[in-house]
Amino acid sequence: MSHNPRRQFLTQSAALAATPLLASFAGKAFADDPARKLGVALVGLGSLATNQIAPALQKTRNCRLAAIVTGTPSKAETWKKQYGIPDKNIYDYKTMNRMADNKDIDIVYVVTPNALHLEYALAAAAAGKHVFCEKPMEISVERCQQMIDGVKKAGRMLGVGYRCQFDPNHLECVRLAKEKVLGELKVIDANFGFAMGDPTQWRLKRDLAGGGCLMDVGIYCLQTARMLTGEEPVWFSATETKTDPVKFKEVEETILWQAKFPSGVVVSSVSTYNANGLAGFRAATQRGWFGLEPAYFYGGNRGKRSDGPDINFPVADQFATELEDFADCILNKRQSKVSGEMGLADVKYLMTIYDSVKKGRPVTL
Ligand code: NAD
């Protein structure tokens, strides 16, 4: 296994590139008509935009990479050549307001550091564009609310990049829980982490990241708990450990949280920036268990259930699928299941976990 989980995501995704794409996508009513594809502008051409989102956009049937926003002229040149983006569709962070005049752009996908999501989402909405925003939605509940309000005021649609909501393996686990196939769900154990490399990156800076491993990868485990229970948590207890106070001076290194849900389901979760090998969940039920390992990679997620059959659905490109769904929401005027409200609720729970760490005691919502 690679010691770099982000690289590992890439490798596993590449292995899946041959999968017939989006075959299982539910909103398949949209025909492959280039004239009707919605134009997507990517804001922030970093690792995720470069390695996942831009390639995924080449596979979608109802959207296309139409524009880019970057502060680095050399990147603009590379992308322009690679994706045939015309000069008029290349922006920097200060010229986004000019998008208002550009009919090529329907959706602005914000892929910058967390604390910059609001600024660019609002700029996009003000230019009359729909907004798709990476997770975590922002670094405070207030800033998430401002994004929701700004996009609503512009009469546009807002979605958050929760790719696992479109992974058929996750959806199968939701079905097992909901239909009580193995009896009632009782306990969830969900963990995600990786060993952080570059000590100078924005993920370790509080003003840009808003927090550490919890904001970045712990959020996936929270999503798992909310998806499987179909409920909202009512109680959190959390604690933090730090073995490298220099590298993790500004944000948490490892955090352990527990939660209770109204039905009595309890959840335990570890997220970390200092260990590899954590990327799965197990759900214990009255008569057995099911889970995914890995659960949170870009591709190759798979799992098992105690009564026998493997959970191993072919995963279409998660980013292509989530973008196709968002475009379909716009075209058919339906609410996205990965809404701004969902993104805000997650940030509220993440803040409650931090609050519990700070207070050194459980917090009831
Ligand atoms: P990255 O560091 O690789 O890219 C960030 C981009 O933002 C770069 O192009 C950088 O130039 C730009 N940027 C603009 N202003 C900046 C500033 N002031 N400081 C630093 N960079 C600035 O990060 P990434 O891994 O691509 O993550 C971007 C976003 O995507 C984050 O919100 C992250 O949580 C999210 N993400 C989501 C997933 C997922 O699976 N859904 C995976 C990785 C990252």
Side-chain angles (χ1 to χ4, degrees):
M1 289 234 296
S2 160
H3 69 281
N4 180 342
R6 290 202 183 278
R7 194 170 298 279
Q8 197 178 334
F9 293 170
L10 301 184
T11 311
Q12 300 211 3
S13 299
L16 281 155
T19 306
L21 282 163
L22 312 176
S24 63
F25 177 54
K28 52 171 101 58
F30 198 83
D32 195 352
D33 176 2
R36 288 190 64 207
K37 287 188 173 195
L38 299 187
V40 176
L42 288 183
V43 185
L45 308 181
S47 168
L48 188 71
T50 305
N51 299 314
Q52 302 300 324
I53 302 171
L57 275 163
Q58 312 312 307
K59 304 166 190 167
T60 55
R61 289 171 302 168
N62 56 5
C63 36
R64 67 185 183 94
L65 177 57
I68 50 174
V69 180
T70 176
T72 314
S74 59
K75 277 191 200 171
E77 276 310 304
T78 308
W79 281 63
K80 185 175 140 178
K81 285 196 194 100
Q82 186 168 355
Y83 294 108
I85 299 167
D87 284 332
K88 73 177 182 63
N89 291 3
I90 297 174
Y91 297 84
D92 64 35
Y93 295 103
K94 293 194 178 67
T95 56
M96 281 181 68
N97 61 326
R98 291 192 205 144
M99 285 183 179
D101 302 325
N102 193 334
K103 288 197 167 42
D104 289 353
I105 304 169
D106 301 284
I107 299 167
V108 172
Y109 191 160
V110 182
V111 203
T112 59
N114 308 338
L116 305 176
H117 290 176
L118 175 63
E119 181 181 346
Y120 303 129
L122 290 182
K129 308 304 177 188
H130 300 284
V131 177
F132 202 72
C133 178
E134 259 311 324
K135 49 54 61 180
M137 186 174 168
E138 250 290 347
I139 64 166
S140 72
V141 171
E142 295 71 25
R143 291 175 71 82
C144 292
Q145 189 62 57
Q146 285 173 40
M147 193 188 298
I148 291 172
D149 293 345
V151 177
K152 199 174 277 173
K153 192 171 157 208
R156 302 288 93 178
M157 212 167 263
L158 174 60
V160 180
Y162 288 126
R163 58 185 168 78
C164 293
Q165 294 267 356
F166 300 92
D167 181 324
N169 294 293
H170 283 260
L171 298 178
E172 171 64 0
C173 289
V174 171
R175 186 189 73 79
L176 293 175
K178 203 171 162 188
E179 295 177 7
K180 301 183 176 42
V181 174
L182 291 149
E184 265 183 46
L185 179 61
K186 294 293 178 187
V187 178
I188 300 168
D189 181 38
N191 308 294
F192 195 13
F194 66 95
M196 174 67 79
D198 177 9
T200 64
Q201 65 183 283
W202 65 264
R203 281 185 168 78
L204 298 173
K205 298 193 168 80
R206 177 160 294 275
D207 60 343
L208 284 171
C213 57
L214 181 68
M215 297 289 283
D216 195 21
V217 289
I219 191 170
Y220 287 89
C221 304
L222 178 60
Q223 273 276 306
T224 294
R226 292 181 68 202
M227 280 171 80
L228 293 183
T229 58
E231 295 181 325
E232 301 302 320
V234 291
W235 178 98
F236 283 102
S237 177
T239 189
E240 181 191 345
T241 63
K242 205 169 276 203
T243 61
D244 187 342
V246 177
K247 189 171 189 177
F248 301 103
K249 187 168 167 232
E250 296 187 30
V251 300
E252 76 277 5
E253 173 189 315
T254 299
I255 199 159
L256 162 68
W257 57 267
Q258 295 168 321
K260 282 192 216 172
F261 284 72
S263 59
V265 171
V266 289
V267 180
S268 172
S269 178
V270 172
S271 47
T272 182
Y273 267 165
N274 215 0
N276 288 319
L278 280 183
F281 69 81
R282 180 186 270 227
T285 64
Q286 281 171 313
R287 292 198 303 275
W289 55 268
F290 58 88
L292 300 180
E293 179 73 53
Y296 305 120
F297 288 175
Y298 296 147
N301 296 331
R302 60 189 171 274
K304 292 194 180 299
R305 42 191 275 193
S306 56
D307 59 345
D310 283 355
I311 302 167
N312 195 3
F313 289 89
V315 183
D317 186 309
Q318 294 168 355
F319 294 93
T321 313
E322 72 177 10
L323 279 161
E324 283 217 330
D325 183 70
F326 190 60
D328 187 70
C329 287
I330 293 165
L331 291 162
N332 293 306
K333 297 188 174 35
R334 70 175 167 86
Q335 168 79 38
S336 167
K337 74 169 174 174
V338 289
S339 65
E341 285 73 14
M342 173 182 275
L344 179 146
D346 277 346
V347 170
K348 179 176 87 176
Y349 301 136
L350 298 178
M351 294 305 137
T352 307
I353 291 170
Y354 287 132
D355 194 32
S356 173
V357 172
K358 203 166 130 200
K359 290 181 169 144
R361 62 166 172 80
V363 175
T364 302
L365 289 161

